[in-house]
Amino acid sequence: MRRPRSIFVALLAVATALAEDDLPKRGATDLLDVEPTLMPNRAELPEPATDHSVARLEVEVERARNNAAAGERLFRSGILSKVEAETRVLKLVRLTADLAATRLAAAETEATEMRAKSAAQHVSKDALEATETALVSATADARKTAAARDTAEIKAAELNVSRRRQLLASGIGRKSDVQRAEDQLAALRETIARRSAEK
């Protein structure tokens, strides 16, 4: 019984020796094929044509829309408070206004570039008109969403004041909390009025 075992050990030693001869010899500076090469520095990569801030805000708006819808369901189920559900909706309104403002800025930049190219006769009249139409649409959308944001923020601040007053009347709240909420509402109204006057 010992003979087959010694033959097996001898064959195993030969196979190991042959396998080691087939392995590549690695020098100090050699890289194996399986080792990944490093990506270039992010600053060295060319910028893609898409606007990062618009794309990022579009993702955030979609996420906020889903969160707001889920917040309403969770509030009805008693899992989330009404204030938390309202906060999710307000965040959606704010992000939507930010997205519209960012799109407007991009449309203004594109329109300026197209006007310069049109003056040098590098673009067609139809292309310039399409850019101007997109600018008008982006302007209207930005104004609409900004007005919706202002209305939502005023409503949220008014609700906060009302809730603070109710807490104070029930003996739970403090006068300082009511005063702070009233000051925030007054400051918000002043900011929105100033912004409207500047337009």
Side-chain angles (χ1 to χ4, degrees):
M1 293 298 292
R2 290 187 179 182
R3 188 173 179 186
R5 184 175 177 187
S6 60
I7 292 173
F8 175 75
V9 171
L11 287 173
L12 186 61
V14 170
T16 304
L18 290 173
E20 286 178 357
D21 288 340
D22 291 339
L23 290 175
K25 302 292 186 240
R26 184 173 180 198
T29 59
D30 293 342
L31 288 176
L32 291 177
D33 291 339
V34 295
E35 290 185 12
T37 56
L38 292 175
M39 286 291 291
N41 189 341
R42 194 164 181 79
E44 298 169 5
L45 293 173
E47 284 293 323
T50 56
D51 186 347
H52 283 297
S53 49
V54 170
R56 177 182 55 80
L57 281 169
E58 285 173 344
V59 171
E60 288 184 19
V61 165
E62 188 59 33
R63 187 180 300 129
R65 185 176 289 115
N66 293 336
N67 286 341
E72 183 63 27
R73 288 193 305 271
L74 292 171
F75 165 64
R76 286 196 204 119
S77 303
I79 299 170
L80 209 64
S81 72
K82 187 169 185 175
V83 174
E84 289 172 316
E86 289 169 356
T87 302
R88 291 184 179 201
V89 173
L90 183 59
K91 182 177 181 180
L92 172 60
V93 173
R94 285 173 174 161
L95 284 171
T96 302
D98 290 345
L99 175 59
T102 305
R103 283 178 174 161
L104 174 58
E108 286 172 342
T109 301
E110 186 176 354
T112 302
E113 291 173 357
M114 288 295 279
R115 287 172 193 146
K117 289 178 182 177
S118 177
Q121 298 181 344
H122 291 307
V123 293
S124 66
K125 184 179 178 182
D126 291 342
L128 179 60
E129 286 178 359
T131 303
E132 295 290 352
T133 302
L135 177 58
V136 170
S137 176
T139 302
D141 190 39
R143 285 179 181 163
K144 180 181 174 183
T145 55
R149 179 200 58 215
D150 292 346
T151 302
E153 287 185 346
I154 289 287
K155 183 179 177 182
E158 288 173 343
L159 276 171
N160 186 39
V161 169
S162 175
R163 286 171 177 150
R164 296 292 179 185
R165 287 174 178 166
Q166 288 173 0
L167 288 170
L168 180 62
S170 64
I172 302 172
R174 296 178 297 183
K175 286 184 180 180
S176 60
D177 291 339
V178 175
Q179 187 62 51
R180 190 180 304 110
E182 289 174 346
D183 290 345
Q184 288 171 347
L185 175 59
L188 180 60
R189 282 178 172 157
E190 185 181 339
T191 301
I192 290 172
R194 187 171 60 249
R195 208 159 46 206
S196 299
E198 290 171 355
K199 290 180 182 177

